[in-house]
Amino acid sequence: MPSITRRDIELLASSRTRRWYRELSADENQAYRTIHATLLRLGAAAVEALGGDGQFAFKPTSGFSADAGVRGYLPKDLWFGAYNRRNLAGFVGMPQVFAIVSAQGVEIGLAATIHPSDFSTQQIKQQVRDAAPAIFEAMPGPGSLLATTLEESLHRSAGPWYFRRKTRLPPNIAEFPDLDSWLRFLRSAEGTRWASGSISRYIAPDAVEQVDLEGAIREAANLFAPLMRSVVPSGGNLLDLPPQPAEEVLDEPVLLEQEEVIRPALETFFARFPAVRQETFGRHPEFWPLMDRIKAALAALPPLRAHPQVKVSWSLGQGNWATVPWIALMDEAETTSTQRGIYGVFLFPHDLSGVYLTLNQGVTEIVQHGRGKGRRELMARAERARQLVPEIAEAGFRLDHVIDLRATAQLGTDYEHSTIAHKFYPAGAVPSDSEIASDLTALLEAYGKVLAAGLTGRVIEAPPVDERPPGVWVWSPGDRAAHWDELYEGDLMAIGWDELGDLSRFHRTQDVAAALLEIEPQDNPPVNDALACHEFVHVLRPGDLVFAKRGLRTIIGHGVVTGDYRHDTSRKALRNTRTVRWLARGEWPVPGLPVKALTNWSSYPDAIAALKDAVGRSDEETKAPVAIEERKPFDVQQAMQGLFMPQATFERALGVWRHKRNLILQGAPGVGKSYVARRMAYALMGYEDPSRVRTVQFHQAYAYEDFVQGFRPNGTGFELREGVFLEFCRRALKDPDETYVFIIDEINRGNLSKILGELMLLIEGDKRESKWGVKLAYAEMADARFYVPPNVFLLGMMNTADRSLAVVDYALRRRFAFVTVEPGFGEASFEAHLAELAVSSATIARIRDRMGALNTAIAEDRANLGPGFCIGHSFFSGPPRAGQDGEPAAESEADWYRRVIETEVAPLLEEYWFDDPGKAGDWSRKLLA
């Protein structure tokens, strides 16, 4: 009877260095066969323990064959999922008892749903997200009899069990303390957005031979059988439905029967082109036939056959390898050149992380008359086109220009500005040929609509794209601020003149003035009132900063406009509204405020400075939040792009931070702590939104009054003001379903007890509740108790090589987890980064070997230095200085290396070995030799 051994898991891990299944050694191939056969046996055991194959079934690794892998490729890992047959029709990503075998060991447990990122096709990803809320609603409620019984059973079982957001996370890290917390997460807005959850435990590789795997699976199935039976779609018994093929359960889509050409050809392109473009440019014997094969396969797809006027062409460069290779789909009546017109095009980012399928525009002819003006025109044309084809979003395309071609050349950036719509196929997860055909159907239909509307290669006369910085406005919330409390609580700003109705029907100031005169005749035209109405609708915009005033001398609040104009007839008064993210309220004396209800102060820099100084604002706080539908997803894979550290280290740090809520990244100079911190913040949030990330830097003069709360001079005396962290926490409290990240640079430079005060207690992960709230040092008797909300995550950065700093005290160490960021000279991603900067392999080896030897010497010098003083890779992450666009580099590779050593590394060594200048000099000479 087959059984998994430690050696099988080691062979599974070692096989990951290979590209093709056929490249496996005989031992590795046998390990795959053994693991697959064992999982088949365990899946059958799970079904039997759940109640038999009348109601339950299991599915092994999608598309896997012991003879050929998954379409010739290695599977990510091997698994099975046992599921309730009643869920096939209604619950995509359905609850399942599972086992996953990977390099980390054997993970077994229950998945409430499988996270959308674990599926290959966009359609199924969306179906999983759509099904998740109903699945979570069908789960037992926290504290219910079923939940209580399961909790008790889990405690009695072999365990320990860990409550988590998804499967395939690093082993043995709990994200939730108990079952009720996990169930509450599933039903929360964040859980719905996350769309997955699991309860699992790991059997480590060195323990797998001591565990009865079948017994462990049967125990898990028995534990979760009540859930597996009860969590089904409502509305009737689905057992009578006709048999249906099993949906994709964990990893890969159901195989198509026809032979595929485009998907494997694209994957080959991603794998081989980096090496090919290191060769001299020319008609490559492998890649010209490969591109012609893709061209022929695309032309043979049904959507291309239905549009015979659309021709396929491709380019890998002319004279030199292209920074951004492409495959274009051009309507011959519109254009026969990618330099002009509108067309569909596959754009390959320079790092070959995947390929964008886009509806795009030729850029060469437009930008040749001026790049800035040309880009504005490209963006204006793209926006006009998007308004014609909103339905393409239903096929998974994004209607914006937010693509990243990873290109430093201007042409690549021009293409980013010219994009109308796009969809990304990541390397290693390119969809099937049939799915590509479906996407092309949607794209070509949109392409036809755009051309039919007359949006061709001609310059479209459209208003230039508004590139002005955020505006600044002074606004009155009614006479003597009578409506301020209501509008502040409702996250609104509003103006009156309700008798005019919907103000958007007036397009000119004089039209508003005429309407006001009809309502109330007067001798002088109501210019100010008309201008306020016009600007509120047509000039004010999301992202602008607004200061609320009372009278002519007092600011009572400030915030950022987040929404467009709306005439809200449900309101009794002040029906002309916009949404605002109010950042603070208080009373700040500012003499000389305008009389009007709404005044644009954007053109008065001195007045703006006075406003910001009065309320203690910084430009960083004016960032507008990113709307949910506009957020750019950000996962670990995206975070790792440009990071020179092992992914396992990053994932472990992320897991520890999510659990502890407070984390410190420590490391020597140049290891990229700040860069890692920003990537970790977005990976924790799951999307990019700078408005929910705040950064401060501690220093020796930084105080509690700056960070939490304190009295500050106001010109006539002192007033109590909220510090940056207190204000940030208040924002987070009003937005409990979103993640907020507060980053503290140089956290060990400040007097931490002096800065944090009572927050030393409140930041603890298990004290993030109102019951732990305390009165702040400067709080009034009537003020509510303050606590740090659970959706605020703290991330500190600490330089381990600064001799001037004391060791962080134990009180802080107990409240933070610590992760060391190491120099990345030995990481393959660092070498790849330098290669992309056109640094030669000889210089890369020189940097790696010599800096590695230097860091070894520093680490071994524990009497004076030690590992915390090792020098980081970021000194070498920037390219040699270049000349103007299109000119040869102004700095040779050798000069660049010498400059970095002489001006950045050598001075640091002189500081390290200040009492042994000879040693510092010796190492400088070794590095330059």
Side-chain angles (χ1 to χ4, degrees):
M1 183 179 297
S3 187
I4 301 169
T5 66
R6 174 177 179 172
R7 179 60 177 161
D8 290 328
I9 295 177
E10 290 173 348
L11 289 167
L12 181 72
S14 69
S15 73
R16 304 307 301 155
T17 61
R18 308 183 191 282
R19 176 68 172 174
W20 301 98
Y21 192 77
R22 63 173 178 268
E23 296 174 353
L24 294 177
S25 68
D27 287 345
E28 289 169 338
N29 183 275
Q30 184 56 48
Y32 272 88
R33 292 176 181 275
T34 299
I35 294 170
H36 181 59
T38 303
L39 287 170
L40 292 177
R41 175 169 58 84
L42 297 180
V47 168
E48 182 179 321
L50 286 169
D53 58 9
Q55 185 175 352
F56 296 92
F58 81 94
K59 184 176 178 63
T61 313
S62 288
F64 176 74
S65 159
D67 295 322
V70 179
R71 300 179 298 282
Y73 291 92
L74 297 177
K76 296 175 184 174
D77 37 46
L78 295 175
W79 51 264
F80 80 80
Y83 57 92
N84 191 326
R85 293 178 183 271
R86 294 179 63 187
N87 290 330
L88 277 177
F91 280 174
V92 180
M94 65 196 84
Q96 51 203 270
V97 171
F98 69 89
I100 304 172
V101 183
S102 67
Q104 300 181 113
V106 182
E107 183 182 10
I108 62 174
L110 170 83
T113 60
I114 302 303
H115 193 266
S117 66
D118 289 333
F119 294 90
S120 303
T121 65
Q122 187 62 41
Q123 180 182 5
I124 296 180
K125 290 175 190 282
Q126 189 57 49
Q127 289 175 350
V128 171
R129 291 193 181 280
D130 293 342
I135 295 174
F136 296 163
E137 186 62 31
M139 298 286 284
S144 65
L145 177 61
L146 182 53
T148 302
T149 303
L150 177 57
E151 179 92 62
E152 293 172 352
S153 299
L154 289 170
H155 282 303
R156 290 195 301 268
S157 68
W161 296 93
Y162 296 91
F163 302 94
R164 320 178 79 180
R165 294 168 182 254
K166 69 185 295 289
T167 60
R168 302 179 179 177
L169 293 174
N172 305 333
I173 296 176
E175 295 180 280
F176 305 95
D178 50 41
L179 179 63
D180 280 355
S181 300
W182 181 72
L183 290 170
R184 279 193 290 270
F185 162 74
L186 294 183
R187 295 188 177 200
S188 70
E190 185 181 3
T192 298
R193 186 171 60 254
W194 189 257
S196 76
S198 72
I199 306 171
S200 69
R201 68 185 185 95
Y202 265 95
I203 301 168
D206 57 2
V208 71
E209 294 176 48
Q210 284 74 52
V211 174
D212 175 8
L213 290 180
E214 182 172 333
I217 288 296
R218 287 183 178 275
E219 180 187 44
N222 284 322
L223 282 171
F224 300 118
L227 284 182
M228 293 291 290
R229 296 190 189 102
S230 62
V231 180
V232 294
S234 59
N237 193 324
L238 300 180
L239 285 174
D240 297 330
L241 291 173
Q244 301 182 41
E247 298 284 351
E248 177 182 49
V249 179
L250 279 173
D251 194 339
E252 296 294 333
V254 177
L255 282 175
L256 301 173
E257 294 183 0
Q258 67 267 28
E259 181 183 0
E260 295 196 325
V261 176
I262 302 169
R263 171 163 48 185
L266 289 175
E267 297 287 12
T268 299
F269 184 91
F270 299 138
R272 292 278 299 120
F273 191 61
V276 169
R277 66 180 171 197
Q278 300 303 315
E279 304 173 11
T280 302
F281 180 81
R283 185 180 179 86
H284 194 274
E286 176 186 358
F287 268 74
W288 257 245
L290 177 71
M291 299 305 290
D292 283 337
R293 190 158 68 250
I294 295 175
K295 174 181 176 179
L298 287 170
L301 291 175
L304 272 295
R305 293 202 307 270
H307 297 81
Q309 78 282 10
V310 176
K311 304 300 182 184
V312 183
S313 64
W314 56 268
S315 175
L316 301 181
Q318 295 182 354
N320 293 294
W321 295 109
T323 302
V324 179
W326 52 261
I327 305 170
L329 314 169
M330 294 181 285
D331 188 315
E332 289 182 312
E334 162 68 2
T335 183
T336 57
S337 168
T338 55
Q339 295 185 1
R340 68 185 71 88
I342 297 177
Y343 47 84
V345 62
F346 292 87
L347 294 173
F348 295 84
H350 183 65
D351 63 358
L352 297 177
S353 54
V355 61
Y356 288 96
L357 174 57
T358 73
L359 184 59
N360 224 304
Q361 308 170 70
V363 302
T364 306
E365 291 188 353
I366 294 179
V367 301
Q368 66 184 359
H369 301 297
R371 180 153 267 115
K373 180 180 178 181
R375 286 180 176 174
R376 286 193 294 273
E377 188 153 344
L378 288 167
M379 294 175 70
R381 177 189 297 176
E383 184 57 37
R384 182 77 63 85
R386 290 184 197 114
Q387 294 173 9
L388 296 170
V389 292
E391 66 280 356
I392 196 174
E394 298 175 6
F397 285 82
R398 289 189 56 165
L399 284 159
D400 57 41
H401 67 275
V402 186
I403 66 174
D404 187 358
L405 297 175
R406 305 298 171 115
T408 56
Q410 295 279 17
L411 181 61
T413 310
D414 291 339
Y415 270 125
E416 293 172 3
H417 285 79
S418 66
T419 300
I420 298 167
H422 61 92
K423 190 172 191 176
F424 186 64
Y425 300 152
V430 174
S432 66
D433 287 15
S434 64
E435 290 173 280
I436 293 174
S438 177
D439 289 340
L440 287 173
T441 298
L443 183 134
L444 292 178
E445 288 178 358
Y447 186 16
K449 285 188 176 182
V450 170
L451 296 186
L455 301 191
T456 69
R458 298 187 302 275
V459 173
I460 297 173
E461 293 298 332
V465 175
D466 189 354
E467 293 183 345
R468 67 180 173 90
V472 177
W473 301 78
V474 179
W475 159 78
S476 175
D479 184 38
R480 298 295 299 169
H483 296 274
W484 173 232
D485 288 340
E486 172 225 345
L487 294 170
Y488 177 84
E489 294 298 330
D491 291 322
L492 292 172
M493 67 181 297
I495 60 173
W497 298 285
D498 295 341
E499 59 273 20
L500 293 176
D502 189 343
L503 297 178
S504 64
R505 65 193 179 94
F506 302 107
H507 299 289
R508 300 181 304 167
T509 305
Q510 49 266 50
D511 296 334
V512 183
L516 287 170
L517 286 173
E518 288 183 11
I519 295 172
E520 185 177 350
Q522 50 188 288
D523 294 334
N524 297 317
V527 176
N528 287 341
D529 293 349
L531 184 62
C533 292
H534 175 79
E535 291 187 329
F536 189 81
V537 177
H538 298 290
V539 183
L540 187 67
R541 66 173 186 174
D544 284 358
L545 185 61
V546 58
F547 289 83
K549 74 182 183 77
R550 184 179 65 226
L552 303 181
R553 301 181 60 85
T554 306
I555 293 295
I556 55 176
H558 56 89
V560 177
V561 180
T562 59
D564 293 326
Y565 167 77
R566 181 186 177 206
H567 182 66
D568 186 355
T569 56
S570 66
R571 293 178 55 81
K572 294 181 179 179
L574 300 185
R575 294 178 173 180
N576 301 300
T577 68
R578 283 180 179 266
T579 55
V580 176
R581 174 165 57 90
W582 292 112
L583 300 175
R585 67 182 298 177
E587 292 194 10
W588 298 276
V590 181
L593 294 175
V595 176
K596 292 190 300 180
L598 181 72
T599 305
N600 187 350
W601 269 22
S602 304
S603 300
Y604 306 102
D606 291 342
I608 293 172
L611 283 172
K612 290 184 177 181
D613 182 63
V615 301
R617 294 276 305 146
S618 70
D619 289 337
E620 181 179 359
E621 294 166 325
T622 66
K623 295 173 182 173
V626 180
I628 292 176
E629 63 273 10
E630 297 175 0
R631 288 175 183 164
K632 183 178 180 181
F634 197 93
D635 57 20
V636 171
Q637 297 300 324
Q638 290 166 291
M640 292 307 299
Q641 295 173 12
L643 289 189
F644 311 134
M645 64 189 301
Q647 182 170 329
T649 301
F650 185 90
E651 290 178 335
R652 174 180 169 274
L654 199 62
V656 169
W657 187 23
R658 186 176 283 118
H659 171 68
K660 187 79 171 178
R661 285 191 168 84
N662 307 318
L663 181 73
I664 287 179
L665 297 177
Q666 60 181 1
V671 294
K673 297 184 290 295
S674 298
Y675 192 68
V676 172
R678 184 66 59 160
R679 295 297 186 95
M680 285 191 68
Y682 290 152
L684 182 79
M685 296 164 69
Y687 53 83
E688 291 186 47
D689 187 349
S691 73
R692 292 186 172 89
V693 180
R694 185 70 194 275
T695 303
V696 299
Q697 186 179 65
F698 281 1
H699 49 77
Q700 292 173 345
Y702 208 83
Y704 178 92
E705 288 75 12
D706 302 301
F707 194 65
V708 184
Q709 190 180 59
F711 285 93
R712 289 295 183 199
N714 60 13
T716 59
F718 291 85
E719 64 181 351
L720 185 62
R721 292 187 190 169
E722 293 186 348
V724 59
F725 185 69
L726 181 57
E727 183 179 320
F728 190 79
C729 288
R730 294 208 193 284
R731 281 180 53 202
L733 279 165
K734 293 175 66 176
D735 197 9
D737 293 329
E738 299 292 348
T739 299
Y740 284 72
V741 175
F742 196 90
I743 299 174
I744 306 172
D745 192 18
E746 304 284 6
I747 190 171
N748 54 333
R749 277 190 172 274
N751 183 330
L752 297 174
S753 297
K754 173 184 171 186
I755 294 171
L756 296 178
E758 59 272 79
L759 265 62
M760 191 74 84
L761 169 71
L762 300 184
I763 62 173
E764 289 186 38
D766 60 353
K767 305 293 190 300
R768 303 290 193 88
E769 299 178 76
S770 57
K771 68 180 181 182
W772 290 97
V774 300
K775 286 284 185 182
L776 297 176
Y778 295 103
E780 299 289 343
M781 287 298 295
D783 288 348
R785 293 177 177 271
F786 172 74
Y787 68 97
V788 178
N791 58 328
V792 171
F793 291 77
L794 276 75
L795 183 59
M797 290 176 283
M798 190 170 82
N799 182 359
T800 55
D802 195 329
R803 300 176 191 268
S804 67
L805 305 180
V807 175
V808 175
D809 63 43
Y810 290 108
L812 188 71
R813 283 193 174 274
R814 187 171 66 81
R815 290 167 170 86
F816 281 79
F818 285 72
V819 171
T820 300
V821 183
E822 306 280 359
F825 292 109
E827 294 296 321
S829 55
F830 177 69
E831 296 186 25
H833 170 73
L834 292 182
E836 288 182 3
L837 299 179
V839 178
S840 69
S841 57
T843 299
I844 294 174
R846 185 184 189 192
I847 295 170
R848 182 192 62 227
D849 297 343
R850 296 187 184 185
M851 293 304 297
L854 171 61
N855 279 338
T856 298
I858 290 172
E860 292 175 351
D861 185 7
R862 293 184 176 272
N864 300 296
L865 302 174
F869 289 76
C870 290
I871 295 173
H873 48 263
S874 63
F875 293 107
F876 296 92
S877 61
R881 283 195 303 263
Q884 298 300 313
D885 265 352
E887 296 181 7
E891 182 180 44
S892 71
E893 192 174 284
D895 289 342
W896 166 70
Y897 176 80
R898 175 173 290 276
R899 172 173 61 81
V900 172
I901 297 299
E902 290 181 343
T903 64
E904 300 184 60
V905 177
L908 190 58
L909 297 181
E910 291 169 3
E911 181 183 331
Y912 278 5
W913 285 303
F914 66 93
D915 56 350
D916 191 355
K919 189 170 187 177
D922 287 344
W923 267 108
S924 295
R925 286 188 289 274
K926 288 179 184 178
L927 294 174
L928 291 170

